[in-house]
Amino acid sequence: GVFLPGQPFRSSDGTVDGYGTRAGYGQPVDMWAVGCLLCELSDGDPVFPGENDLDQLRLIQRTIGALTPGQMMVFSLNPNNAGVFFDTEDVKVAEESIDARYGNVLQTHALDFVAGLLQLNPKLRLTGDRCLEHAYFEGLVGGD
């Protein structure tokens, strides 16, 4: 799994089983980290300052939403997570959303860009190529 210096950059797909995703480390994990870094650079605070893997997942879900069914399956298969459940009322808390937390420091295109990077489903997360096509980079990326 991803473990950059500092737990706050650990992706949901790299945290669910404590080891990383079944497919292993890849670009979606890097893109998640970029989203976390953009948030932290905007206000100086970690976006998901969890104290351990479970707290990390709780904070991610409070901010973004519930884990995907596949992530929950992988999470439940880890024997370390036996008997652990997440409170459904503790998911996607409006006042802790990306828009609520960063709407006063990031412009609309930046918020949308971060939202694309912090998709829980790694298949829906922005790729490097899709990032370059995002309105956030309009006027900054050459045509070739």
Side-chain angles (χ1 to χ4, degrees):
V2 141
F3 203 94
L4 295 173
Q7 185 93 348
F9 305 118
R10 197 152 184 203
S11 69
S12 58
D13 36 309
T15 304
V16 292
D17 64 3
Y19 307 104
T21 64
R22 287 180 177 215
Y25 177 87
Q27 185 186 52
V29 175
D30 288 339
M31 303 317 291
W32 177 274
V34 170
C36 291
L37 287 167
L38 286 172
C39 289
E40 184 167 338
L41 287 171
S42 72
D43 72 357
D45 293 323
V47 63
F48 308 115
E51 298 195 14
N52 55 50
D53 286 351
L54 291 176
D55 192 39
Q56 188 82 22
L57 287 171
R58 184 186 64 78
L59 292 173
I60 288 169
Q61 291 183 93
R62 284 181 65 84
T63 304
I64 298 175
L67 297 176
T68 67
Q71 289 168 335
M72 281 305 299
M73 182 191 73
V74 172
F75 177 84
S76 67
L77 291 175
N78 182 334
N80 294 326
N81 300 330
V84 175
F85 299 94
F86 296 104
D87 184 352
T88 56
E89 292 182 19
D90 206 24
V91 173
K92 201 150 186 162
V93 177
E95 58 271 7
E96 294 182 31
S97 71
I98 295 296
D99 285 347
R101 289 179 60 189
Y102 301 100
N104 62 336
V105 292
L106 293 175
Q107 295 177 352
T108 304
H109 289 316
L111 283 170
D112 184 67
F113 184 60
V114 166
L117 293 167
L118 297 181
Q119 286 288 319
L120 282 170
N121 184 338
K123 292 178 182 175
L124 300 178
R125 206 168 292 152
L126 288 176
T127 62
D129 288 337
R130 286 187 50 220
C131 284
L132 294 176
E133 297 167 359
H134 194 278
Y136 181 68
F137 291 106
E138 194 171 296
L140 299 176
V141 179
D144 294 329

